[in-house]
Amino acid sequence: SELIGTGKNQKCMDQVPLEQICRYAAEDAEVPWRLAEPLTERLKAINLFELFSELEMPLIEVLTEMEFNGISIDTERLRGLSK
């Protein structure tokens, strides 16, 4: 919302100066990059890294393809199942 606004004043991304888009994209990439190592170590510490890397990460591609092809994913149901 800071970058493109909201509501009737919302802009398209191509209307935003390139310098602002680059800064936004860099921040979007930096956060997961900084989190990757500590979260990997946490998953290993609680013996869940193998589940994450062997099952959950490959599933992202399958779920993305399903959604791309018109199958809606019930994220609330998935969240409930994860508990």
Side-chain angles (χ1 to χ4, degrees):
S1 63
E2 285 181 33
L3 191 63
I4 61 172
T6 59
K8 69 177 187 174
N9 295 325
Q10 186 172 355
K11 301 182 237 177
C12 292
M13 194 63 99
D14 65 353
Q15 296 172 307
V16 178
L18 187 57
E19 182 180 311
Q20 289 178 336
I21 293 172
C22 289
R23 204 171 19 250
Y24 172 81
E27 288 174 8
D28 260 10
E30 182 183 20
V31 171
W33 181 75
R34 286 180 180 253
L35 290 172
E37 185 177 340
L39 291 177
T40 297
E41 294 307 314
R42 173 107 168 103
L43 286 171
K44 287 178 179 178
I46 58 176
N47 296 318
L48 290 176
F49 184 75
E50 188 176 340
L51 174 69
F52 170 74
S53 62
E54 300 294 322
L55 180 69
E56 292 190 7
M57 287 305 290
L59 250 181
I60 290 173
E61 189 174 327
V62 173
L63 295 174
T64 302
E65 184 69 21
M66 288 170 61
E67 198 164 17
F68 180 76
N69 286 301
I71 296 172
S72 180
I73 296 171
D74 185 347
T75 56
E76 286 303 314
R77 176 74 174 131
L78 287 176
R79 192 171 289 118
L81 289 171
S82 74
K83 293 178 183 176

